[in-house]
């Protein structure tokens, strides 16, 4: 994406002449801004999904995630939060802000330096590029503000020799206002999605980002009046005004009439499961539900290998992010009832079916469609085995159970599942919880050999619908909230919700956006981190065949795979020590 700029800089010294050349050509300026797009990264930045520091997955390769989930994070030991794996939300984004501010400082020079007969076209292009830059800066700030709180507000690039020592931290309120202003500036300059090159910022993306950040700002973490200081919340919050701003921001996207929910084939539940899964296998961003995202190709540029990273070890993949048993048990049954209405745990943590309606002992039957589009569970169809294991597994299932055969009261054989930690292939890459991510993988990609081409979706219309529902609910309009919550449920082949409306809203956000880097922000802004970030659980499955009696009995037993500890300080990530040393006027977050 930056080849034009790189070519110029390779041929000319990094001095005034090279800079003037870049800012004399609209195409070179465009290429310069492409660097900022690339640096925003994506949720496919590595095999570590943000869910790995939430209640949704256990990340088997650790990469410092234990530092956070076990409550040991400090400014000098930040686990993954000061690493390039999380560069899409951490302090490293200030490097990108420097690039963007340099662009904004110089873009007007391009028009001035353009030949008069081409100046009008250059002016039009420059204004759009300026809108893109405002959006990218707002996006970077929004990612960091939801992670650290108030931030240094930088509108001009630092120059060589500039003194960082005086850099101060803006309050949370000032930071939110700055992001909103950038979103408004971007929206005023950008074109609708259909008029922009696919993958670039659009008017709708700017308005959607405004909705996202205002929803976060209005939530309990920052606006319930208990924030410890002005850097992690409002000092004198007006909740009504904050929720109204969030509602209006979401409504502005809705009123564009540019986006719509994808049709998953409801009420056909099998079709919904397949189409929900396929939605995340798209290789471009043309679907009307997609507001903004990042595309990939298999053989050039920034690439990703999500199948290799997340797939089963029995296919020579890494099995990185293991969905937790708590997440699996959260998925409702196909009729909208809770899983716990039909299954319970006995004193030894074995699952027991207590249902009058769904009487199969297998807890994976009769679940809501999004479960089948999101989770690889024992015996689910996935990919054909390689030749050496096809005879053992001709169907290509995800194989997590141990099969024991008994006769005469004795065990005569025991065979562990192919995809277990005792299996025959890359057992060190096998999962611990018994589950893998299916969502955002592609069954047509051979992980060990091929790159993925499916897109990363940063924002989609379903989020706007639930933003609007939540803000409406908080403003007391439960009827409006009900309508919009059920839009998401019905699209997913589920009946209208029953019971508590707040629980219904939070269920939809949890299930609809699983693995989309939304959950960690939600459990923090709702102030339910202590409740949700408990020990990571998994499943043990043993199938016993009794040759004497001709019976087969299968048990499912819940187990703990990682102990976790939550401290209040974990609602915010500390500013790294290195950054505090560079700018001593920065104020560290509470608890650190």
């Amino acid at each position: 994406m930056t080849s034009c700029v790189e070519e110029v800089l390779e041929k000319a010294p990094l001095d005034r002449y090279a800079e003037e050349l870049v800012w004399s050509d609209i195409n070179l300026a465009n290429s310069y801004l492409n660097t900022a797009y690339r640096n925003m990264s994506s949720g496919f930045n590595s095999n570590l999904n943000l869910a790995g520091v939430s209640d949704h997955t256990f990340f088997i390769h650790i990469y410092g995630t234990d530092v956070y989930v076990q409550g040991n994070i400090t400014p000098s030991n930040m686990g993954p939060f000061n690493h390039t794996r999380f560069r899409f939300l951490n302090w490293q984004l200030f490097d990108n802000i420097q690039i963007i501010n340099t662009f904004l400082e110089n873009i007007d020079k391009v028009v001035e330096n353009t030949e008069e007969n081409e100046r009008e076209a250059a002016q039009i292009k420059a204004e759009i590029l300026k809108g893109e830059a405002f959006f990218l800066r707002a996006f970077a700030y929004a990612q960091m503000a939801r992670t650290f709180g108030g931030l240094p507000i930088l509108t001009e690039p630092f120059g060589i020799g500039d003194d960082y020592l005086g850099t101060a931290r803006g309050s949370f309120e000032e930071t939110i206002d700055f992001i909103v202003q950038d979103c408004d500036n971007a929206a005023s300059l950008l074109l609708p999605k259909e008029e922009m090159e696919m993958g670039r910022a659009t008017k709708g993306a700017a308005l959607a980002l405004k909705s996202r950040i205002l929803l976060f700002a209005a939530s309990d973490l920052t606006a319930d009046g208990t924030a410890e200081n002005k850097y992690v919340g409002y000092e004198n919050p007006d909740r009504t005004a904050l929720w109204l701003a969030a509602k209006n921001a979401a409504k502005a996207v809705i009123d564009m009439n540019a986006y719509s929910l994808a049709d998953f084939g409801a009420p056909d539940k099998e079709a919904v499961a397949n189409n929900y899964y396929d939605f995340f296998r798209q290789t471009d961003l043309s679907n009307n539900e997609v507001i903004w995202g990042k595309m990939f190709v298999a053989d050039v540029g920034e690439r990703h290998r999500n199948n290799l990273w997340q797939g089963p070890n029995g296919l020579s993949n890494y099995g990185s992010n293991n969905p937790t048993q708590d997440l699996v048990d959260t998925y409702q049954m196909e009729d909208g009832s809770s899983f716990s209405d039909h299954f319970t745990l006995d004193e030894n943590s074995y699952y027991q079916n207590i249902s009058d309606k769904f009487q199969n002992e297998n807890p994976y039957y009769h679940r809501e469609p999004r479960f089948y589009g999101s989770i690889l569970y024992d015996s689910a169809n996935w990919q054909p085995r390689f030749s050496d294991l096809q005879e053992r597994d001709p169907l290509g299932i995800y194989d997590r159970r141990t099969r024991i055969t008994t006769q005469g009261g004795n065990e005569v054989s025991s065979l562990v599942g192919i995809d277990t930690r005792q299996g025959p292939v890359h057992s060190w890459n096998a999962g611990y919880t018994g589950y893998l991510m299916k969502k955002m993988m592609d069954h047509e990609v051979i992980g060990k050999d091929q790159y993925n081409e499916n897109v990363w979706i940063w924002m989609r219309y379903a989020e706007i619908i639930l933003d609007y529902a939540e803000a409406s609910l908080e403003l007391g309009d439960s009827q409006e909230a009900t309508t919009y919550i059920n839009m998401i449920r019905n699209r997913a082949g589920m009946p209208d919700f029953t019971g508590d409306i707040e629980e219904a809203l939070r269920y939809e956000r949890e299930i609809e956006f699983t693995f989309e880097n939304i959950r960690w922000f939600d459990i923090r802004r709702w102030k339910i981190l202590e409740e949700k970030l408990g020990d990571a659980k998994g499943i043990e499955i043993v199938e016993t065949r009794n040759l004497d009696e001709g019976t087969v009995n299968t048990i499912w037993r819940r187990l703990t795979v990682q102990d976790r500890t939550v401290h209040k300080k974990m609602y915010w990530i500390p500013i790294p020590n290195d950054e505090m040393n560079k700018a001593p006027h920065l104020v560290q977050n509470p608890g650190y």
Side-chain angles (χ1 to χ4, degrees):
M1 294 175 70
T2 60
S3 60
C4 293
V5 172
E6 290 170 352
E7 183 178 345
V8 168
L9 296 181
E10 285 173 3
K11 294 180 178 179
L14 297 176
D15 58 12
R16 182 178 178 83
Y17 175 78
E19 291 180 5
E20 287 186 353
L21 183 59
V22 171
W23 305 119
S24 65
D25 186 296
I26 194 67
N27 294 316
L28 290 179
N30 180 51
S31 294
Y32 184 92
L33 188 61
N34 284 344
T35 304
Y37 275 101
R38 184 186 65 190
N39 289 348
M40 280 312 308
S41 188
S42 76
F44 291 142
N45 186 45
S46 81
N47 58 329
L48 174 56
N49 188 281
L50 188 58
V53 291
S54 80
D55 55 333
H56 275 186
T57 73
F58 166 61
F59 182 72
I60 72 168
H61 306 298
I62 306 301
Y63 289 176
T65 54
D66 57 335
V67 172
Y68 178 75
V69 300
Q70 294 177 343
N72 297 318
I73 188 169
T74 68
S76 59
N77 185 13
M78 296 180 59
F81 286 97
N82 199 27
H83 195 279
T84 54
R85 293 185 184 96
F86 275 0
R87 69 181 182 183
F88 54 81
L89 55 68
N90 67 22
W91 210 260
Q92 295 174 43
L93 284 176
F94 275 114
D95 293 340
N96 212 35
I97 289 168
Q98 170 75 2
I99 292 170
I100 294 165
N101 284 343
T102 299
F103 176 89
L104 287 170
E105 184 177 74
N106 289 283
I107 184 61
D108 289 336
K109 298 177 183 177
V110 176
V111 179
E112 297 169 5
N113 293 327
T114 300
E115 296 292 335
E116 187 172 351
N117 62 330
E118 298 177 355
R119 192 167 296 166
E120 182 178 355
Q123 178 70 53
I124 293 171
K125 178 65 175 176
E127 290 300 298
I128 295 172
L129 290 174
K130 195 181 297 184
E132 294 178 54
F134 281 128
F135 169 80
L136 291 171
R137 188 170 68 182
F139 193 84
Y141 264 95
Q143 292 290 89
M144 288 193 293
R146 295 185 299 156
T147 303
F148 300 99
L151 302 163
I153 296 173
L154 308 178
T155 59
E156 297 178 353
F158 279 105
I160 296 174
D162 282 357
D163 185 4
Y164 295 86
L165 295 178
T167 302
R169 187 176 179 185
S171 70
F172 181 78
E173 182 172 5
E174 290 169 339
T175 303
I176 296 301
D177 289 347
F178 178 65
I179 295 168
V180 168
Q181 185 59 60
D182 266 0
C183 288
D184 287 341
N185 289 339
S188 71
L189 295 169
L190 290 170
L191 302 176
K193 177 181 173 180
E194 64 272 14
E195 298 180 39
M196 293 292 296
E197 180 184 353
M198 199 176 295
R200 302 189 81 91
T202 67
K203 179 182 179 71
L207 295 177
L209 179 60
K210 180 178 177 180
S211 173
R212 173 182 284 182
I213 195 62
L214 286 176
L215 187 83
F216 185 94
S219 300
D220 286 349
L221 178 62
T222 55
D224 69 357
T226 66
E228 294 189 49
N229 60 44
K230 67 178 182 178
Y231 302 109
V232 292
Y234 290 95
E235 294 181 286
N236 297 293
D238 181 340
R239 294 302 291 277
T240 299
L242 290 170
W243 282 119
L244 185 60
K247 180 179 180 179
N248 289 340
K251 190 63 161 58
V253 181
I254 294 170
D255 287 347
M256 288 182 69
N257 295 316
Y259 304 102
S260 59
L261 295 176
D263 183 356
F264 291 158
D268 183 332
K269 288 181 168 50
E270 183 176 356
V272 170
N274 292 332
N275 290 329
Y276 179 81
Y277 162 72
D278 283 339
F279 181 84
F280 299 97
R281 294 175 62 227
Q282 298 175 86
T283 57
D284 67 34
L285 305 167
S286 59
N287 189 290
N288 279 343
E289 182 166 337
V290 177
I291 296 177
W292 189 58
K294 185 177 181 67
M295 295 183 293
F296 301 85
V297 292
D299 56 357
V300 70
E302 187 178 354
R303 300 180 288 176
H304 78 90
R305 303 191 70 174
N306 210 43
N307 269 46
L308 174 67
W309 298 336
Q310 313 304 344
N313 63 293
L315 291 166
S316 300
N317 301 312
Y318 297 169
S320 300
N321 290 275
N322 297 184
T324 62
Q325 193 64 45
D326 282 343
L327 170 60
V328 168
D329 291 353
T330 296
Y331 283 90
Q332 294 176 351
M333 309 302 285
E334 62 186 7
D335 66 350
S337 59
S338 296
F339 174 73
S340 59
D341 292 339
H342 305 276
F343 286 84
T344 188
L345 289 170
D346 69 15
E347 65 276 9
N348 295 313
S349 296
Y350 289 98
Y351 282 90
Q352 302 292 331
N353 188 311
I354 58 171
S355 180
D356 293 328
K357 182 175 183 179
F358 303 118
Q359 297 183 10
N360 194 294
E361 63 179 0
N362 190 321
Y364 308 132
Y365 284 27
H366 308 294
R367 305 298 285 275
E368 76 126 283
R370 288 171 293 189
F371 171 76
Y372 301 106
S374 302
I375 308 292
L376 273 183
Y377 56 92
D378 175 69
S379 299
N381 287 327
W382 181 233
Q383 288 181 324
R385 296 289 176 181
F386 302 130
S387 58
D388 58 334
L389 288 171
Q390 282 183 357
E391 183 176 353
R392 177 173 165 181
D393 176 20
L395 299 178
I397 65 170
Y398 178 53
D399 181 19
R400 285 292 305 195
R401 65 180 58 196
T402 298
R403 296 168 177 83
I404 296 174
T405 302
T406 63
Q407 190 171 34
N410 298 312
E411 181 180 309
V412 296
S413 69
S414 178
L415 183 66
V416 296
I418 296 173
D419 301 306
T420 66
R421 295 195 67 80
Q422 298 78 39
V425 184
H426 291 189
S427 58
W428 58 90
N429 279 332
Y432 287 83
T433 69
Y435 307 100
L436 292 177
M437 294 170 55
K438 177 180 179 182
K439 182 178 176 179
M440 294 187 285
M441 291 209 298
D442 186 339
H443 63 279
E444 295 183 344
V445 172
I446 306 302
K448 76 180 186 68
D449 298 323
Q450 300 172 326
Y451 285 83
N452 287 66
E453 294 191 38
N454 52 303
V455 301
W456 174 262
I457 301 172
W458 273 120
M459 294 183 287
R460 58 188 178 101
Y461 189 56
E463 182 182 351
I464 299 302
I465 294 297
L466 291 178
D467 287 356
Y468 183 74
E470 184 171 349
S472 296
L473 178 61
E474 295 291 345
L475 289 167
D477 193 345
S478 58
Q479 183 174 354
E480 186 83 340
T482 296
T483 297
Y484 281 79
I485 294 169
N486 284 332
M487 284 174 62
I488 302 298
R489 287 184 64 80
N490 298 160
R491 187 271 291 266
M494 295 294 285
D496 291 352
F497 75 85
T498 58
D500 184 82
I501 187 172
E502 182 180 75
E503 290 180 7
L505 171 80
R506 293 185 176 187
Y507 174 84
E508 288 309 311
R509 286 191 69 94
E510 178 171 9
I511 297 304
E512 179 68 22
F513 304 131
T514 303
F515 313 139
E516 295 181 52
N517 287 4
I518 290 177
R519 177 65 174 174
W520 182 68
F521 295 111
D522 278 353
I523 60 176
R524 290 171 49 245
R525 69 181 179 87
W526 289 331
K527 295 178 73 171
I528 58 172
L529 197 66
E530 295 95 336
E531 173 190 345
K532 295 299 182 181
L533 197 61
D535 295 346
K537 302 293 199 303
I539 197 82
E540 176 189 41
I541 308 171
V542 179
E543 174 190 295
T544 302
R545 182 178 300 274
N546 188 317
L547 296 180
D548 298 318
E549 300 176 2
T551 59
V552 177
N553 180 59
T554 305
I555 59 94
W556 290 262
R557 181 172 178 263
R558 191 172 75 167
L559 46 82
T560 298
V561 301
Q562 185 187 46
D563 296 330
R564 295 179 169 184
T565 303
V566 179
H567 298 297
K568 186 178 180 181
K569 67 178 183 179
M570 293 164 58
Y571 277 98
W572 296 102
I573 301 304
I575 299 172
N577 266 348
D578 288 347
E579 303 302 329
M580 296 291 293
N581 292 335
K582 291 176 189 175
H585 289 287
L586 295 176
V587 176
Q588 186 56 271
N589 275 334
Y592 300 105

